[in-house]
């Protein structure tokens, strides 16, 4: 929405620390932009069938209409959607805000695609397009590998191929609302492969799972969807930890992008408490659930938590001081963008600032 | 589980404040115990058809088998399930722990019943049984009116009838996992009637909604169900506030029972933040969402939040100092019972203690 974009500005003053922006959205302008990267069979498919997934009708719930593609009104290039024009991204975002490194999360609705071979072809094309149009054109950029994650065997093939293809791929991307909780055995090959090639797996806001977004069914408003999306992150955190994914893959790191982070300490407490009493159900866990969260999870800051009393944000950071790690993100070019110099509603300590704006991401992504 | 019951004991030392226990479970020993309160037609129904609801097979997910009915192993009377014997409840709970007032929440699986007239007859019988077998026999007890809440017209009839029938009924009970979020128009007559007769509506852990308990589908473990149930409370809080239920019914109070409370500040922050940017979608809200939470919501303490660093519980209480209100509860006779003198893992201030153990409930329920 226009008002939203104005609410947090893009003031050009550079903050004092080097900034790694862990959530920038590059966008495929349209399926035809992928034609150079698609075999003939799938070019025809794109023209005759196109995207065909579960819950096509639910798309209206994802973003408000007044904010097409959920983007800032000032972020539309002369042609194509926001995030599709590297020059505008450089001019409007990377250069003036002094972004040292920006991590691209290209949101393609691969999860619900019903034709699994199309989903795989599309993911290959998007990744090749990212190499040619983004990674090879600006040394500040890194990118996430998109994969057809509901088809783990195909996802693993593409994950391994892309990881070998370009060193600029720094993680594997999954939209958070999957068809089953991600700790379930179905998805295990993806985490195994990511762990083996040494890439974190990022879970990003969005996706269409086929399930209602609440335990009590479908809510009425976009405002509720947007508020409740953090519950999908909670569910995935609980599932990954309690299914023992981190016990199986001790090198694996998972990044939660755009899901908030104030909910993390309450979920850690609740998991530990119930686990102490019910641990027989998950005998392979050798540590308290919260310890896996501390060791294996990172979260991005946007949308920043904004308590009525800003001091409560410091209490929250204190609760998270021993982990999990926070990493700064803007969500450019989306409407609820956080500018680096205005993201935190309260002064945070210099060492925490350095960790959040730069060091945590540098460590996690080996930058 | 046996271990669990031993974990938090029933030590008989009386705490210093008067205790109002906001969550005690009395149990119907079996459908035949309700025969004196059922018309002939429904006695026959109970014998020939019985309970018949959605998700009958999902019941196994609700409680671990090692803890039948999810109850303390020491709480089984000589016959019938835990909570079905007033004498044992008096001897084991009310007398030794010095419970001044105990609020009974009789968990009957009314929500998923498919025969709506049976659901209504059953709720009437349970409420009449509660009057005869509990309220009229111990002056310390109060009770929740059970209603067929998926059939609001029938629920309103029973709510009004029971509220007139006995002054010991102090609230209306709904299990938190409903078929739709409770702010949806379908349920509005229940909140209107509760508001008109001056009774709070309690949402209690449990229920079978037909929907997966997470936005990402069905998890593998009871441990996950138990951890994720707080998400159902989050969804209901968001729905009630954003649908304007408290704007329509300014006298209405809602009590959230056995859903935790550490998640409340994060949800208040997130709702406020998104509402500031998207308030056009809910133009009837005249205040920030968090203000409705502060004014209209109370939560019970069991299961107590148990941070690794107990001091973080004090930070949490500070975040909630301006509301919503907390009220003490034991959850007797269930397996994760909190004893009054051991519930808080950290020393809390005397005034907070008085509020939580007694004053908040006295005010809310006009005791």
């Amino acid at each position: 929405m226009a008002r939203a974009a104005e609410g947090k500005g893009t003031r050009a003053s550079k903050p004092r620390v080097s900034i790694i922006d862990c959530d920038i959205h590059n966008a495929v302008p349209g399926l035809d932009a992928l034609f150079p990267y698609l075999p003939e069979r799938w070019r025809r498919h794109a023209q005759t069938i196109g995207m065909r997934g579960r819950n096509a009708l639910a798309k209206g719930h994802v973003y408000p209409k007044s904010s097409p593609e959920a983007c800032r009104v000032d972020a539309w290039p002369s042609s194509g959607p926001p995030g599709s024009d590297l020059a505008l991204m450089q001019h409007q975002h990377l250069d003036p805000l002094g972004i040292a490194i920006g991590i691209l999360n290209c949101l393609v609705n691969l999860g619900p695609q019903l034709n699994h071979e199309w989903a795989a072809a599309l993911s290959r094309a998007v990744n090749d397009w990212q190499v040619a149009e983004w990674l090879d054109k600006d040394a500040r950029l890194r990118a996430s590998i998109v994969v057809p994650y509901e088809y783990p065997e195909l996802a693993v093939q593409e994950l391994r191929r892309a990881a070998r293809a370009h060193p600029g791929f720094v993680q594997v991307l999954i939209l958070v609302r999957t068809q089953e909780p991600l700790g379930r055995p179905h998805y295990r090959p993806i985490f195994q492969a990511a762990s083996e090639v040494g890439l974190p797996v990022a879970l990003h806001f969005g996706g269409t799972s086929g399930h209602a977004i609440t335990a009590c069914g479908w809510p009425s408003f976009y405002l509720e969807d947007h508020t409740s999306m953090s519950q999908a992150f909670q569910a995935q955190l609980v599932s990954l930890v309690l299914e023992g994914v981190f016990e199986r893959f001790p090198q694996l790191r998972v990044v939660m992008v755009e899901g908030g982070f104030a909910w993390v300490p309450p979920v850690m407490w609740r998991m530990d408490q119930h686990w102490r009493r019910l641990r027989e159900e998950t005998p392979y866990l050798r540590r308290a659930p919260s310890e896996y969260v501390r060791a294996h999870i990172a979260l991005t800051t946007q949308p920043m938590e904004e308590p009525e009393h800003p001091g409560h944000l410091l209490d929250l950071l204190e609760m998270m001081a021993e982990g999990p790690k926070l990493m700064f993100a803007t969500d450019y070019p989306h409407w609820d963008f956080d500018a680096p110099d205005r993201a935190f509603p309260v002064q945070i300590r210099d060492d925490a600032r350095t960790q959040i704006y730069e060091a945590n991401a540098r460590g996690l992504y080996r930058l």
Side-chain angles (χ1 to χ4, degrees), chain A:
Chain A
M1 305 175 82
R3 276 209 324 274
E6 289 157 20
K8 289 202 171 181
T10 55
R11 211 172 55 187
S13 69
K14 282 191 192 179
R16 292 156 297 172
V17 294
S18 177
I19 297 169
I20 298 178
D21 181 351
C22 292
D23 191 28
I24 298 177
H25 296 293
N26 57 335
V28 180
L31 283 180
D32 53 351
L34 298 176
F35 282 10
Y37 312 97
L38 281 169
E40 171 58 20
R41 174 189 169 188
W42 296 114
R43 282 203 294 274
R44 265 202 331 276
H45 179 98
Q47 290 170 309
T48 53
I49 310 268
M51 309 291 270
R52 192 174 149 272
R54 287 178 194 85
N55 286 9
L57 291 174
K59 192 167 189 317
H61 287 284
V62 180
Y63 295 131
K65 234 176 138 177
S66 65
S67 171
E69 305 298 320
C71 284
R72 281 167 42 175
V73 291
D74 63 345
W76 288 78
S78 51
S79 75
S84 64
D85 183 331
L86 173 60
L88 180 59
M89 184 187 289
Q90 290 166 330
H91 171 73
Q92 184 173 53
H93 186 64
L94 301 175
D95 299 342
L97 301 189
I99 305 294
I101 296 176
I103 296 172
L104 300 172
N105 290 315
C106 187
L107 303 179
V108 187
N109 211 10
L110 287 163
Q113 293 304 308
L114 290 164
N115 180 325
H116 56 287
E117 293 195 339
W118 161 243
L122 186 59
S123 68
R124 282 192 297 272
V126 169
N127 291 326
D128 287 345
W129 169 83
Q130 292 198 98
V131 168
E133 304 289 335
W134 299 87
L135 296 179
D136 280 350
K137 290 191 174 171
D138 191 318
R140 289 170 293 190
L141 296 177
R142 302 293 184 277
S144 298
I145 301 171
V146 303
V147 295
Y149 46 84
E150 298 293 357
Y151 310 105
E153 191 182 340
L154 298 172
V156 166
Q157 284 174 19
E158 176 55 13
L159 185 169
R160 292 189 183 280
R161 187 194 72 88
R164 276 193 305 269
H166 201 284
F169 285 119
V170 293
Q171 67 188 0
V172 181
L173 185 64
I174 294 177
L175 300 192
V176 71
R177 290 184 65 196
T178 49
Q179 283 190 258
E180 291 194 85
L182 282 165
R184 299 269 299 163
H186 179 61
Y187 301 100
R188 211 149 285 169
I190 299 177
F191 294 106
Q192 178 171 355
S195 177
E196 285 171 4
V197 304
L199 294 185
V201 175
L203 311 184
H204 189 281
F205 184 107
T208 42
S209 69
H211 300 285
I213 195 170
T214 88
C216 318
W218 300 95
S220 309
F221 307 126
Y222 170 68
L223 182 43
E224 287 175 275
D225 266 11
H226 204 57
T227 300
S228 296
M229 187 69 79
S230 71
Q231 296 180 24
F233 287 88
Q234 295 173 39
Q236 299 290 25
L237 183 72
V238 169
S239 175
L240 289 168
V241 169
L242 295 183
E243 294 266 8
V245 171
F246 301 114
E247 198 54 64
R248 278 172 192 269
F249 310 118
Q251 304 307 315
L252 180 67
R253 299 291 181 276
V254 169
V255 188
M256 301 200 155
V257 184
E258 205 178 333
F261 53 94
W263 53 265
V264 175
V267 171
M268 289 165 77
W269 304 346
R270 194 169 170 96
M271 264 198 295
D272 280 5
Q273 179 181 24
H274 293 324
W275 170 80
R276 280 194 295 272
R277 295 167 176 182
L278 293 162
R279 58 204 297 175
E280 279 177 80
E281 200 180 12
T282 55
Y284 42 79
L285 294 184
R286 292 187 294 180
R287 299 181 284 159
S290 62
E291 292 188 48
Y292 298 98
V293 178
R294 291 202 179 89
H296 295 274
I297 301 290
L299 300 104
T300 61
T301 55
Q302 184 280 335
M304 181 58 63
E305 303 288 354
E306 298 177 3
E308 188 183 356
H309 302 293
H312 289 163
L313 183 59
L314 298 179
D315 293 336
L316 174 63
L317 293 178
E318 166 63 30
M319 289 176 191
M320 296 177 71
E322 294 163 36
K325 288 186 163 57
L326 288 176
M327 307 193 300
F328 177 74
T330 64
D331 196 29
Y332 176 89
H334 286 175
W335 67 272
D336 47 354
F337 172 84
D338 277 346
D341 56 340
R342 300 184 181 183
F344 279 92
V346 64
Q347 187 73 29
I348 60 173
R349 291 202 333 243
D350 279 350
D351 57 338
R353 191 174 170 81
T354 306
Q355 293 291 322
I356 292 170
Y357 278 85
E358 181 181 13
N360 289 344
R362 224 174 255 291
L364 181 81
Y365 296 119
R366 299 176 194 160
L367 300 172

